[in-house]
Amino acid sequence: MVQTLLYGVPSGCSFGSIVALEWLGEPYRLCRIEMPEGVQTDAFRRINPVGETPTLVTATGERISESMAILNHLGARGIGKGLSFAQGTAGFDRLNQVLAFLNTSFFASFGPLWYALEHGVKGPDKDALRAYGAAKVTKAHADLERMLGDKEWLLGDRRTLADAYFIGIARWTKYHDVVDRRDYPGLQRLFEKLEADPAVRFAHAVERGETAVSGGGFLGEVTLDDVLRQQALAA
């Protein structure tokens, strides 16, 4: 089997896992899942009972869900490329600290805004959710700006899986006009550098359904039915 990432569109946080797979350079396939309808089907819940993307089906047929788990799985094979660090080292601890912040604070700060948008909340309830979300997003940007400091990348002088995860979330500001990233020059610089990265451009093209030129090991798209058949054969 070839490892397959089930990624969500539009603009899912699985974007970071696509970038990570490109940086890693190993053979992989992608399976497009439309949200929210695609993740609510019985067929998808056979892959991930929680009904969320992303999920990585490994070359041995195992299923790994949640971005942090997927990134750490890929990172174990990307140490030689500088994408991660050996477990037990100070670098590994720093990487997991940044990933944890991105997941629990940066990602989560957009939660109230996504809820208001996706559920069509109106009136005072919408105003309250947007005000709460705006405060959380502003604080998360300010905190991450301080964490970045004058470093070139989130972990220092080389890109890591934390940067891949960051870019998938940072682009959400285009949906929620509550912060101006230019007020955070370090984050704006990092965002612009990542947006110019070939793997990030590839992931954008994939999400838009355009012809995407891979610099890694991308072998093409498969359907959810294809993934389920592979799972049945591996059982």
Side-chain angles (χ1 to χ4, degrees):
M1 291 177 61
V2 175
Q3 60 184 342
T4 301
L5 179 73
L6 290 86
Y7 69 98
V9 291
S11 298
C13 65
S14 43
F15 187 94
S17 295
I18 298 175
V19 174
L21 283 163
E22 278 290 292
W23 286 352
L24 186 61
E26 295 180 351
Y28 73 97
R29 300 185 189 278
L30 293 173
C31 177
R32 186 182 187 90
I33 305 295
E34 299 287 341
M35 300 189 297
E37 60 274 13
V39 296
Q40 296 171 352
T41 65
D42 291 339
F44 182 76
R45 288 183 184 274
R46 288 165 60 189
I47 299 294
N48 182 354
V50 176
E52 295 178 350
T53 59
T55 289
L56 180 72
V57 180
T58 71
T60 57
E62 298 173 354
R63 291 167 289 179
I64 304 172
S65 297
E66 305 295 338
S67 290
M68 285 192 63
I70 291 170
L71 292 172
N72 274 308
H73 171 80
L74 298 176
R77 303 198 302 277
I79 295 172
K81 295 189 175 183
L83 300 178
S84 187
F85 305 85
Q87 188 167 1
T89 65
F92 183 82
D93 292 338
R94 289 196 303 272
L95 174 61
N96 277 285
Q97 177 179 322
V98 174
L99 282 174
F101 176 85
L102 291 174
N103 184 249
T104 61
S105 296
F106 197 57
F107 175 103
S109 69
F110 287 91
L113 300 172
W114 279 121
Y115 186 90
L117 180 65
E118 293 173 348
H119 292 80
V121 180
K122 300 182 184 301
D125 290 342
K126 177 181 179 179
D127 294 339
L129 282 170
R130 280 190 58 81
Y132 179 53
K136 288 175 68 68
V137 169
T138 299
K139 181 179 187 303
H141 276 74
D143 290 344
L144 191 56
E145 177 81 0
R146 285 190 291 270
M147 291 169 62
L148 176 62
D150 59 0
K151 297 191 296 293
E152 184 176 1
W153 304 94
L154 285 171
L155 267 291
D157 60 358
R158 73 189 201 194
R159 70 186 187 187
T160 67
L161 299 181
D163 300 292
Y165 191 42
F166 163 79
I167 191 61
I169 302 168
R171 65 206 178 115
W172 289 349
T173 56
K174 70 180 180 181
Y175 295 102
H176 314 290
D177 187 20
V178 295
V179 297
D180 187 339
R181 197 183 304 103
R182 292 172 297 182
D183 293 335
Y184 310 93
L187 295 182
Q188 180 64 23
R189 171 180 47 79
L190 177 61
F191 181 86
E192 291 175 352
K193 182 162 53 176
L194 283 163
E195 283 287 283
D197 186 277
V200 174
R201 294 201 301 268
F202 168 83
H204 279 305
V206 165
E207 282 197 339
R208 292 192 295 263
E210 301 171 352
T211 299
V213 179
S214 171
F218 177 56
L219 299 178
E221 295 255 4
V222 296
T223 67
L224 179 56
D225 285 342
D226 293 329
V227 175
L228 291 169
R229 279 194 292 270
Q230 286 184 339
Q231 288 276 279
L233 289 173

